[in-house]
Each structure stands twice: as C-alpha cells, then as structure tokens.
C-alpha cells in the first residue's frame, strides 16, 4: 500500500488517494487539521502506536541545535517540538513556530502559555512554500509530521534552503516507508481498517484519519525524499529510520 507519488499535471495534485485541483489542496488539508487540532495528540497516539513522543525526543536530541541558536519549527502548531527545543536553546535562543493552520497554532500557543513557556517563542501563521523571512535567517529548520501535507514539496525545500544560514541544517521527521514486508502488511491493516474506526470512536471524525493514513502512503519514501533535498541544493543528506521505517529522520545541510 506504500504508493509513491505519481507525476501530475499542472492543475492537479493528490489529497490522500484522490486527485484534486492544486488550488484546493491547501483548503482541504486545512479542514482536516482544523478538525483534529484539539485531538492532535490523540491522533498521533493512534497513528504511531503511542511512541511519537519518543520519536520527537530523539529528533531533537540529534538535531545539533545549540544554545543561542535561532530555529524555525515548521508545521509546529501544537508546540511539541518547540517545547523540547527551548531547554536546549536556553534563554538566548529563539524558536519561531510556524504553521499554516490557525487552529493548530491556537492550541499550541495556549498549551505553551499554560506551561509557562513564553519567552523566546514566536508564533507565525505561514505557508512553508513561501516563507516570510529574509535569506540566511535561521541556524536550523525543523519539521515534524508536516512535509507530507505540503502541496509543492520541492518549492518548500527550496525556500527553507533560502532562509537557512550557511552551515545551517534542515531536519525532517516524517512517516515513511516500512522496511519489512510482513510488518508493512500489519501496518497497512492498522492504518486503513483500524485507524479510521478509532478516529470515529475517539474524535468523531473517521474521514480525517482516513486522509492522514492515505497521505503517508503518498509521501515520498526515504530515498526519494533524500534525492529531492539534494536537488534543492542541500549537502550531506542523511537518513535515519526509526521503528522499522514507520518514520524517518532526514538531516541535510546548507553548505
């Protein structure tokens, strides 16, 4: 079931397993994440068997960010990655949390404020394909579980490259291609037969969870994404599989 993206013409793109007009995808994805914003942690628990928290901790641990760095966290609406980054960056560092979805940003801002995490955080509603920042603005850009929802991934990778400082790095944590055929069949069963039912039971929304499962299968696999990063100009692109390839971390540098 792990289908690779097929070339599309200029007027359509994929929304899960459906072909839709390019101009409609952003709106459709927005509707999904507005629907699941309040149950986002539950969504990730259901999709990842509950271990997304460990993946995120590992993601930040190998990020190489240092005290005083300025980091852009894309698709970071609920603040999970920003909360993990802040202790590493210290009082002199800054995280700009960017997300295209206002509902997700609202959830994250409220959650972080409730935890007393205000200093050194900025929140910006933005499109990853057209970032509203000058060239060479960030020491690192992180993106956890967001790239697969971007309409034009090549354009986003290019603009992230632009805003990175020379020597800066991009880190992407994303669902990817399971490496074991047997485990892949079990994972497909969970994704397409169990997950939508759980979404309906716990969040009252089967369709959004169906889309999220489909979006994983349409996302470029590990080597395809590595090649896309290299074509965008990144060097030293590294891939690290977690949990048998359920997710992968791509780390790349602006050299």
């Amino acid at each position: 079931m792990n289908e690779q993206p097929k070339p599309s013409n200029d007027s359509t793109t994929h929304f899960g397993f459906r072909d839709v007009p390019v101009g409609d995808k952003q709106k459709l994805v927005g509707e999904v994440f507005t629907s699941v914003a309040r149950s986002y942690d539950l969504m990730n628990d259901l999709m990842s068997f509950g271990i997304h928290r460990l993946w995120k901790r590992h993601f930040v641990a190998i990020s190489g960010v240092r005290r005083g760095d300025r980091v852009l966290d894309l698709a970071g609406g609920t603040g999970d990655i920003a909360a993990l980054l802040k202790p590493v960056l210290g009082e002199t560092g800054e995280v700009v949390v960017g997300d295209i979805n206002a509902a997700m940003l609202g959830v994250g801002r409220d959650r972080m404020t409730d935890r007393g995490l205000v200093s050194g955080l900025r929140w910006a509603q933005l499109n990853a394909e057209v970032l509203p920042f000058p060239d060479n603005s960030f020491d690192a850009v992180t993106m956890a579980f967001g790239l697969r929802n971007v309409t034009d991934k090549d354009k986003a990778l290019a603009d992230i490259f632009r805003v990175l400082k020379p020597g800066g790095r991009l880190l992407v944590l994303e669902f990817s291609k399971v490496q074991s055929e047997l485990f892949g069949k079990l994972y497909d069963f969970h994704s397409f037969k169990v997950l939508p039912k759980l979404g309906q039971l716990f969040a009252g929304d089967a369709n959004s969870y169906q889309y999220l499962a489909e979006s994983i299968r349409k996302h470029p696999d590990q080597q395809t994404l590595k090649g896309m990063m290299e074509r965008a100009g990144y060097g030293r692109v590294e891939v690290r599989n977690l949990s048998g390839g359920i997710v992968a971390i791509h780390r790349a540098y602006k050299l």
Side-chain angles (χ1 to χ4, degrees), residues 44-202:
N44 281 331
D45 285 333
L46 296 177
M47 292 182 71
S48 70
F49 307 99
I51 59 173
H52 67 98
R53 303 169 204 279
L54 298 178
W55 294 336
K56 290 171 181 174
R57 289 185 180 278
H58 183 69
F59 178 62
V60 171
I62 69 165
S63 66
V65 300
R66 295 168 292 186
R67 192 173 191 83
D69 278 354
R70 188 171 188 237
V71 180
L72 172 62
D73 181 38
L74 291 172
T78 58
D80 291 355
I81 300 300
L84 294 170
L85 285 168
K86 272 302 296 171
V88 181
L89 298 173
E91 294 181 0
T92 58
E94 181 183 56
V95 183
V96 178
V97 182
D99 202 296
I100 199 168
N101 188 276
M104 296 289 283
L105 284 169
V107 169
R109 189 164 42 235
D110 291 346
R111 179 182 297 173
M112 298 289 270
T113 301
D114 289 344
R115 294 173 59 181
L117 296 174
V118 178
S119 177
L121 285 173
R122 291 175 52 203
W123 303 83
Q125 186 172 2
L126 51 75
N127 186 335
E129 299 173 19
V130 190
L131 297 171
F133 306 108
D135 297 356
N136 309 319
S137 295
F138 296 96
D139 298 288
V141 175
T142 57
M143 195 171 194
F145 303 118
L147 184 59
R148 73 182 188 278
N149 297 304
V150 173
T151 302
D152 191 332
K153 296 174 181 60
D154 290 313
K155 189 174 181 180
L157 290 171
D159 215 39
I160 291 168
F161 187 88
R162 177 186 65 79
V163 302
L164 278 171
K165 297 177 182 178
R169 57 209 163 279
L170 165 64
L171 294 110
V172 174
L173 172 66
E174 189 55 88
F175 289 103
S176 199
K177 182 178 180 180
V178 176
Q179 302 298 289
S180 163
E181 183 177 352
L182 175 60
F183 186 48
K185 291 179 179 178
L186 294 172
Y187 184 52
D188 284 342
F189 179 81
H190 169 78
S191 298
F192 293 104
K193 301 299 184 183
V194 179
L195 182 61
K197 289 182 172 61
L198 292 175
Q200 182 63 45
L201 179 64
F202 290 103

